[in-house]
């Protein structure tokens, strides 16, 4: 499993990212300061680094520059509240491989992580997710049921993807909210129930099972 270093001082965000990466099959390590992050980047065996710029002890650009000056070419995704064009350009020119502004949806971050790690992935086609007669094409963002294309909104597709990536696993409403709607969600919202109903109407009423008091799972016979 790929090891990923998360250098982020805000505990709410670092915990959210680490939990999401772990559930996606990665091994995350969190550093809360630039100094600790740099030390881990230079001594650990990481395949990717997620780096915040607003660190308490030193600017993330400094950490990135030191990593690159040490001839460490581990892919770096900058994840920051700084969203100006100047900051984006500075990040990429200092050696970052990608730049993502907060607030963000975890599914988008995960897609960028997978993109950066794709060269080390197995040769099998990982862009298709299949469950029974349901197929999701992650490249074209198209869904088909029994070979017929079904029109899904971006949120509906992301929700269906979350289920197909975790076949048979019960996913709580909180897990689905964080993965599809982002870390800054309202835990009291019923939006998950609404969108599961949308998916049932479009992809099959029996495809997504309700597990009372726990959440939803992809039906094994779907």
């Amino acid at each position: 499993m790929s090891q990923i270093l998360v250098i982020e001082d805000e505990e709410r965000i670092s915990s959210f990212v680490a939990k999401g990466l772990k559930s996606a099959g990665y091994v995350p390590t969190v550093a809360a300061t630039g100094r600790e992050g740099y030390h881990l980047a230079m001594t650990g065996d990481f395949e990717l680094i997620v780096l915040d710029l607003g660190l308490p002890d030193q600017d993330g650009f400094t950490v990135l520059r030191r990593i690159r000056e040490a001839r460490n070419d581990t892919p770096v995704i900058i994840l920051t509240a700084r969203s100006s064009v100047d900051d984006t350009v500075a990040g990429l020119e200092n050696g970052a491989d990608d730049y993502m502004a907060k607030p963000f949806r975890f599914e988008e971050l995960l897609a960028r992580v997978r993109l950066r790690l794709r060269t080390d992935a197995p040769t099998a086609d990982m862009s298709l997710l299949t469950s029974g007669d349901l197929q999701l094409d992650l490249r074209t963002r198209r869904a088909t049921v029994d070979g017929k294309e079904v029109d899904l909104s971006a949120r509906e597709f992301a929700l269906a993807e979350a289920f197909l990536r975790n076949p048979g696993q019960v996913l709580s409403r909180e897990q689905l909210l964080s993965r599809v709607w982002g870390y800054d969600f309202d835990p009291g919202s019923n939006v998950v129930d609404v969108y599961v109903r949308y998916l049932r109407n479009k992809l099959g009423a029996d495809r997504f099972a309700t597990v009372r008091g726990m959440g939803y799972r992809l039906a094994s016979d779907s």
Side-chain angles (χ1 to χ4, degrees), residues 5-221:
L5 175 60
V6 180
I7 308 176
E8 165 65 62
D9 66 308
E10 190 172 341
E11 185 178 359
R12 180 174 66 107
I13 297 178
S14 63
S15 176
F16 165 72
V17 171
K19 287 179 181 177
L21 290 173
K22 187 174 181 180
S23 69
Y26 299 105
V27 181
T29 298
V30 175
T33 66
R35 181 175 299 177
E36 180 188 10
Y38 175 76
H39 174 73
L40 288 172
M42 299 309 299
T43 58
D45 186 22
F46 297 101
E47 295 183 39
L48 186 137
I49 299 170
V50 177
L51 173 65
D52 180 36
L53 294 183
L55 299 169
D57 57 337
Q58 55 186 283
D59 192 84
F61 284 139
T62 301
V63 178
L64 176 60
R65 185 169 59 253
R66 292 181 65 200
I67 289 173
R68 294 301 186 234
E69 287 176 350
R71 299 186 182 279
N72 184 327
D73 60 358
T74 304
V76 174
I77 298 176
I78 289 179
L79 185 63
T80 180
R82 303 182 196 174
S83 57
S84 72
V85 174
D86 289 343
D87 282 323
T88 303
V89 172
L92 297 174
E93 289 185 344
N94 275 282
D97 297 271
D98 205 346
Y99 194 105
M100 191 169 176
K102 301 174 185 175
F104 64 95
R105 287 197 305 116
F106 180 75
E107 287 299 321
E108 182 181 353
L109 174 61
L110 185 59
R112 294 175 186 240
V113 167
R114 289 187 173 124
L115 176 64
R116 294 302 154 193
L117 296 176
R118 184 170 294 168
T119 54
D120 298 323
T123 56
D125 187 356
M126 303 298 290
S127 67
L128 296 177
L129 296 178
T130 303
S131 177
D133 61 357
L134 170 62
Q135 185 175 84
L136 300 182
D137 189 321
L138 304 184
R139 291 179 180 170
T140 63
R141 311 302 288 179
R142 291 179 178 174
T144 58
V145 174
D146 196 21
K148 299 178 181 178
E149 187 170 341
V150 179
D151 184 31
L152 297 181
S153 70
R155 295 286 196 199
E156 290 168 346
F157 191 97
L159 184 59
E161 180 182 350
F163 281 115
L164 266 67
R165 287 194 183 280
N166 300 275
Q169 179 180 335
V170 178
L171 299 175
S172 69
R173 289 171 176 81
E174 291 76 15
Q175 285 177 305
L176 292 169
L177 276 168
S178 66
R179 293 183 187 187
V180 178
W181 280 267
Y183 70 90
D184 206 16
F185 61 84
D186 176 8
S189 171
N190 71 336
V191 68
V192 170
D193 305 298
V194 172
Y195 272 77
V196 167
R197 186 166 69 248
Y198 291 163
L199 289 185
R200 284 171 170 164
N201 290 338
K202 292 184 176 183
L203 303 179
D206 299 326
R207 197 176 299 277
F208 305 99
T210 300
V211 181
R212 190 174 300 275
M214 298 179 66
Y216 299 97
R217 65 174 173 82
L218 184 68
S220 58
D221 294 331

